Amino acid sequence: MNKTYTLSILVKNTSGVLTRISGLFARRGYNISSLSVGETENEELSRITIGLTGDEYVLDQIKKQLSKLIDVVKIKQLKSADAVYRELMLVKVRADIKKRAGIIEICTIFGTRIVDISKTTVTIEMSGKPEKNAAFLSLIDEFGILELVRTGLTGINRGEVTILD
Amino acid sequence: MNKTYTLSILVKNTSGVLTRISGLFARRGYNISSLSVGETENEELSRITIGLTGDEYVLDQIKKQLSKLIDVVKIKQLKSADAVYRELMLVKVRADIKKRAGIIEICTIFGTRIVDISKTTVTIEMSGKPEKNAAFLSLIDEFGILELVRTGLTGINRGEVTILD
């Protein structure tokens, strides 16, 4: 049965590490729905968070293959019970002067920031849980979304546990 | 001369598109410092934001090769004068009860959210401009960063302009 998974992978900063990792998923026909890579507290390491939907058996096989890659320091599957997930979105909405107040109202309720405004548009920075982001998008969609950029999901374990534990 | 660039790429959701794109950079020895992929307002398309440091001539060549890929709908180089950039970070900081107040103080000044707390740690969600995130990290680093996860930079054009213009 297909389910949604989040993998957190600590890797060495080598040229091509991302190609090797995403290639493993592609060769199995596994579709990555979101991926984010950023620097970590250690400048020699980066951390990749991958959101994907698929078959658990195939995922286990991919995890085994990932752990054999020389650039991969650690892999951890984040589980919703003991991890925090967030995503950042930049949303450009159609908004003339008449509609602006309605948009600002929704933004205030969701605790988002307006990062740019023009005569016909408003651009919003929204960071939050996936469910909250989805709720925001479905409301703001009524005004007409012109452009939407998302970072993909990122996540971290709750409490004292880190990826190295 | 090496400079920092941000590329925004609109792609079709095909298995392997990320491998093909990151592979182009890897083959040229170009090191991607951050990358984020997320869904867009069109469910058939994803958008990739890549942050990189390198040579402009090589970047121009990569852009030409990217535009030849069948999965690539549009490429746009974002320029800081007419774009908004943001990054999301989750930061786990060492914090016993005595240090907690000092951390909360910094978080309030920066407008960040505390998303998890344990007897010995505090986990913070920070979303902002790269410079602001860097300033926050250098302050909070004094408490001891246990774990840092970043989405990588994402960006959008200011005003009415979209990636399709």
Side-chain angles (χ1 to χ4, degrees), chain B residues 35-48:
Chain B
L35 184 145
S36 64
V37 192
E39 292 156 359
T40 65
E41 68 281 11
N42 179 334
E43 61 183 21
E44 289 173 11
L45 302 176
S46 288
R47 189 149 155 183
I48 304 178

Side-chain angles (χ1 to χ4, degrees), chain A:
Chain A
M1 208 186 80
N2 280 357
K3 284 191 178 174
T4 303
Y5 304 98
T6 310
L7 283 187
S8 198
I9 310 170
L10 196 64
V11 299
K12 290 182 195 150
N13 289 335
T14 53
S15 172
V17 56
L18 195 62
T19 312
R20 285 187 283 281
I21 289 179
S22 62
L24 271 183
F25 289 88
R27 275 197 297 281
R28 297 271 179 172
Y30 226 94
N31 214 356
I32 293 176
S33 62
S34 80
L35 183 146
S36 65
V37 192
E39 293 156 359
T40 65
E41 68 282 9
N42 180 333
E43 62 182 21
E44 288 172 11
L45 303 177
S46 289
R47 191 150 154 181
I48 304 178
T49 309
I50 299 179
L52 33 89
T53 306
D55 174 77
E56 187 156 10
Y57 174 75
V58 179
L59 181 66
D60 280 339
Q61 300 229 302
I62 290 175
K63 277 160 70 181
K64 273 181 202 142
Q65 290 183 294
L66 280 173
S67 64
K68 285 180 194 157
L69 292 180
I70 203 162
D71 319 310
V72 171
V73 178
K74 186 87 191 211
I75 308 164
K76 195 163 199 171
Q77 187 174 336
L78 297 179
K79 309 252 165 109
S80 52
D82 48 29
V84 175
Y85 301 95
R86 291 292 184 274
E87 185 175 16
L88 171 65
M89 310 188 297
L90 294 169
V91 196
K92 187 175 293 177
V93 183
R94 206 181 297 276
D96 57 22
I97 197 161
K98 288 179 208 156
K99 287 185 182 165
R100 232 181 255 159
I103 292 171
I104 292 171
E105 209 168 68
I106 295 175
C107 289
T108 307
I109 292 166
F110 278 86
T112 67
R113 296 172 193 152
I114 290 174
V115 291
D116 184 66
I117 198 157
S118 76
K119 280 184 185 165
T120 57
T121 62
V122 165
T123 304
I124 304 148
E125 171 190 0
M126 165 92 192
S127 122
K129 295 179 199 182
E131 316 85 80
K132 196 177 164 188
N133 286 357
F136 176 76
L137 278 183
S138 75
L139 269 174
I140 213 80
D141 192 32
E142 293 186 0
F143 294 91
I145 295 175
L146 281 171
E147 197 170 19
L148 169 61
V149 190
R150 315 173 74 139
T151 57
L153 216 57
T154 194
I156 198 167
N157 275 109
R158 291 184 182 278
E160 297 162 27
V161 180
T162 71
I163 193 170
L164 294 172
D165 296 314

